[in-house]
Amino acid sequence: MDIASRPAEPDENTQIADAAPPPQAPPVIHREDYLPPAWLVPEITLDFRLGIDETRVTSKLAVRRNPAGNGAVTLRLNGDQITPISLKVDGEHVNDWRLDGPDLLLDLPGAQHLVEVETAVNPAGNSQLMGLYASNGMLCTQCEAEGFRRITFFPDRPDVLSIYRVRMSGDKARFPILLANGNCTAQGENGDGTHWAEWHDPWPKPSYLFALVAGDLVANHATFTTMSGRKVDLNIWVRPGDEGRTRHAMDSLIASMKWDEQAFGREYDLDLFNVVAVADFNMGAMENKGLNVFNTRYVLADPETATDADYDAVEGVIGHEYFHNWSGNRVTCRDWFQLSLKEGFTVLRDQLFSADMGSAAVKRIEDVRVLRSAQFPEDSGPLAHPIRPDSYQEISNFYTATVYNKGAEVIRMMRTMAGPERFREGTDLYFARHDGEAATCEDFVRAIEDGTGLDLGRFRLWYSQAGTPQLSIRLEHGGTRAVLTATQTVPGTPGQPDKQPVPVPLRLALFDRDTGTHSGERLIVLDKASDTFVFDGFAKPPVLSINRGFSAPVAIEFERPAQDLVFLAAHDDDPFARYEAMQNLVVQHLVAAVGGGLSEAERGAGRAAIGAAFAAVLADPALDDLMRGELMILPAESYLAEQLLVADPGAIHAEREALKAWLGRECAAALAALHDRAVGVAYGRDAAARGARKIKTQALNYIAAGDAGEGARRAIAQYHAADNMTDRQGALMVLASLDVPERAEALADFHQRYQGNALVIDKWFSLQAGAFHPHVLEHVRALAGHGDFTMSNPNRARALYMAAAMNPVAFHDAGGEGYRLIGDLIRRLDPINPQTAARFVPSLGRWRRIEPARAVLMRAELERIAAEPALSRDVLEQVTKSLG
Ligand code: TRP
Ligand code: ZN
């Protein structure tokens, strides 16, 4: 046996594999196996000699035996597709190192040493976009979660914190701008066409927060003065030509910095904050210390090319990454099982920020819509996991709606129970107590307990149990007393068959039917399997408004007459509850219709109730248009499918479309008037103008459903008259679903008008792949062969294929063509970019909840993927779990 392949002794990094794994199965990492690192790296010096095809990296690690470790002599340095070119210990070349799989092991006799490793990487050949890679001639890094080990050998785990000094040199013409974390301490010319820069980050950080960028970039520069008077230089770096589209990102950054001081008392801690926009990026953005790297789509925005939703996304993501400076960087995660410690908390912080910047009511509704359409299906499917998972094979697969969005909801519940002021005392204590540390979710909960005085004993179950709690509500009335009975069950999930009841905070109000008012909101906490709550002083049965503001991320079953929902849709003073009443009215009706259980009379009565509530929404002068636009949105097909044990996607689509068309005809005059009014409002970034644009396309959508000719006429007019992307994209979206001649004309115009603008061409792809057009699958196949399509840019690949995977008409094609499309995509994308490929698997993984004919086809597609010889860990984990 060659020395390089000799298996290593178990050490703090050797995780225990499950017994008798199938041959291809990657090892399972368990949360309970955590051990502190045997060695620490208080300081690291990195030297990069930059090149697109080859970059040489020399890394000097000052290593010190961890007094809290197991005393092992072996230092484990993680690697991934790199080999050591040379290795020195304390200045001397050594040969007695060995490899354990991709990792480098070295026995060190003393308590501290200097380890020097040289590696070489090929950025241009890095299509996974993890580690150091090339994008449009620029070099950049992505190290979270385990990308640093693709650059150099290192204990690549978040509980090893180091002070970084970085030097880089490279061709000045190719890489005029050289950036890394922290502050630039020196720079100069080498006299041979190359130049160099040195950077120093004074804050100890884990390797996943390391970043380097080199390329031809221009900055939008501004300054911000912090609450203690520190002047910070802010730069948003983009490719030359894009600087005119950075203003909103800069405004959002400045607003984020101010907001974090006011809302959480958090001040920025360096003299420089850089943001770089990169066109090839696996996710939204990355919070590297002092050097955030962003997907271009969350930086670039102007009215011509970005929709109102794009503007909101830029603001939200800029805020999110900035807020990580405290929730993630100053206090980081001990291990990746604690991911929600930084992500759940930071999502809550960005949600609260966006709520304060715009309409809090609309923001809450949007956040709940995301949770229900993305997270609820995760919780009820084969990939269900708690917000703090117990095991994983590939950590990239756990950057999920559960960890992020449910994680945020769990912390929001603590805030609801404590109240905002006491919650702030909890977070202050958390930051003070754990600053500079790698902490756990348990540390966070304990700090909130100590700071707020809450007892979160049972509440911790929200961290350990997967599954969406199902509540059943009953309200009985007798005399002057109303009695609310609430029961809960948490459904079994893979590996967790038996669950315990969790504390569920419910904000509620009891309305007087005659006056349309209530006597104040109350908060109850259901912390048992079943409980009753008594309310006195009601001469008549009140109307219950419950889970106001979506105070708990639960599903509620509450049978009640449609007229109560119509009442709440018209009168509830909690905007979320009002939206919810409207949604419930539609859900109740469509679920019954899909089940085939509606007589013609019942169908008529159901539609009439919805029609009346809908008409009231269109006409209510007290509603602002942003909120009106929200109330007009029908529940998504994926959410409707969630309501059914086994869903027939064809029937759901047909019923939902039929209702939309009926509303379009029934309310034709009011919708036309609304559209006309909205068309008359000039472009502006204010709430009134944004609201007008929102209802404009909403109205158009219903008009087109009711009358394709009239819809096409108005859509093409809106398309050509548009002086902004919101209106133009909205009109084109409506046209894309219609089988009319104007469709092709408008699509061709759009492509021609925006060619060369990658983010807008992405819209052109998604719009067509997301359309409810009878030939959508043909369109998608044709688009895959279009000259602008490429699999190697994740934004473009997602624009086409994620839109198709999320489009029930395309994906759930009865012949299985949609499943085949996504299956083929996964198999072709996996060798290029496994992280992105794996994100498509959950759509096929839903097969158990789909009617049997389609379920067989979905499963067969998963099996075809599983049969592929060299699958990535990413895809293999998701496919194996989905086949279960
Ligand atoms: N931490 C990042 C965020 O939430 C997201 C992230 C994790 C990421 N892994 C990534 C981004 C890989 C890009 C690539 O803000
Ligand atoms: Zn994040």
Side-chain angles (χ1 to χ4, degrees), residues 156-436:
D156 193 11
R157 39 186 291 168
D159 57 353
V160 174
L161 276 64
S162 319
I163 292 180
Y164 282 68
R165 286 182 188 277
V166 177
R167 182 192 164 90
M168 66 189 109
S169 60
D171 188 80
K172 191 175 179 182
R174 254 179 195 268
F175 312 119
I177 302 296
L178 304 172
L179 307 172
N181 313 90
N183 304 305
C184 184
T185 49
Q187 52 189 317
E189 312 265 335
N190 292 321
D192 58 352
T194 65
H195 68 152
W196 57 272
E198 286 176 2
W199 289 77
H200 171 236
D201 179 359
W203 298 101
K205 64 171 175 287
S207 50
Y208 82 88
L209 290 173
F210 165 78
L212 169 155
V213 173
D216 185 9
L217 297 161
V218 292
N220 174 352
H221 175 261
T223 61
F224 177 78
T225 304
T226 68
M227 58 186 181
S228 73
R230 179 203 286 269
K231 187 168 154 239
V232 184
D233 280 301
L234 312 176
N235 294 304
I236 299 191
W237 297 94
V238 296
R239 286 168 64 197
D242 284 341
E243 55 275 31
R245 294 196 281 153
T246 56
R247 168 135 186 227
H248 179 59
M250 182 61 87
D251 290 347
S252 301
L253 176 58
I254 292 168
S256 304
M257 296 178 86
K258 187 103 214 122
W259 184 87
D260 212 13
E261 292 182 347
Q262 290 166 345
F264 281 91
R266 300 295 111 202
E267 184 177 5
Y268 189 60
D269 55 5
L270 287 166
D271 302 325
L272 178 63
F273 190 79
N274 283 316
V275 168
V276 182
V278 175
D280 299 280
F281 205 69
N282 279 345
M283 302 220 225
M286 180 63 211
E287 70 265 23
N288 316 300
K289 183 79 187 191
L291 179 53
N292 287 0
V293 177
F294 272 63
N295 188 322
T296 43
R297 64 178 298 192
Y298 297 114
V299 174
L300 303 179
D302 65 12
E304 261 285 293
T305 60
T307 62
D308 295 335
D310 294 332
Y311 270 79
D312 288 348
V314 167
E315 179 181 81
V317 178
I318 289 271
H320 180 97
E321 305 311 330
Y322 175 72
F323 302 144
H324 269 315
N325 190 56
W326 274 94
S327 49
N329 301 1
R330 287 288 286 263
V331 182
T332 193
C333 299
R334 187 192 70 173
D335 56 73
W336 292 120
F337 296 104
Q338 318 299 328
L339 184 58
S340 202
L341 174 73
K342 74 176 177 82
E343 296 303 346
F345 189 26
T346 303
V347 169
L348 175 66
R349 280 152 54 69
D350 84 54
Q351 290 177 349
L352 296 173
F353 166 63
S354 294
D356 283 352
M357 295 298 112
S359 162
V362 169
K363 176 62 179 159
R364 186 65 188 133
I365 293 168
E366 285 169 353
D367 290 338
V368 175
R369 196 182 302 123
V370 169
L371 189 83
R372 283 173 166 167
S373 64
Q375 199 280 323
F376 279 23
E378 249 167 48
D379 245 349
S380 67
L383 301 169
H385 51 277
I387 64 169
R388 181 188 56 211
D390 292 316
S391 68
Y392 63 77
Q393 290 172 294
E394 170 50 61
I395 186 58
S396 296
N397 289 333
F398 287 80
Y399 288 77
T400 58
T402 297
V403 167
Y404 276 64
N405 303 67
K406 186 178 180 180
E409 293 298 328
V410 168
I411 301 174
R412 186 187 284 267
M413 286 190 283
M414 300 182 202
R415 183 172 182 266
T416 300
M417 292 187 294
E421 291 82 18
R422 279 202 298 151
F423 180 72
R424 168 68 191 273
E425 289 178 35
T427 60
D428 282 355
L429 181 61
Y430 167 70
F431 288 124
R433 199 183 263 178
H434 297 290
D435 188 11

Side-chain angles (χ1 to χ4, degrees), residues 793-872:
N793 175 264
N795 284 0
R796 189 57 51 84
R798 280 188 292 252
L800 182 62
Y801 287 103
M802 199 50 95
M806 294 297 125
N807 177 355
V809 175
F811 186 66
H812 288 298
D813 165 73
E817 286 285 302
Y819 309 142
R820 174 55 56 99
L821 180 87
I822 299 306
D824 284 346
L825 179 264
I826 292 167
R827 293 183 310 135
R828 281 184 46 220
L829 188 54
D830 192 36
I832 301 169
N833 187 329
Q835 205 176 311
T836 303
R839 301 239 154 214
F840 287 85
V841 177
S843 55
L844 289 166
R846 306 282 310 143
W847 62 274
R848 255 176 264 261
R849 300 283 304 269
I850 304 292
E851 56 84 16
R854 285 181 173 88
V856 168
L857 298 167
M858 293 170 83
R859 217 192 125 84
E861 214 48 62
L862 287 167
E863 272 159 358
R864 231 162 52 86
I865 300 167
E868 202 68 13
L871 285 177
S872 67

Side-chain angles (χ1 to χ4, degrees), residues 34-58:
Y34 174 82
L35 287 174
W39 290 85
L40 302 175
V41 188
E43 286 174 35
I44 174 172
T45 305
L46 288 161
D47 182 70
F48 288 83
R49 278 139 293 153
L50 301 170
I52 292 281
D53 298 309
E54 188 188 70
T55 291
R56 290 266 179 158
V57 186
T58 304

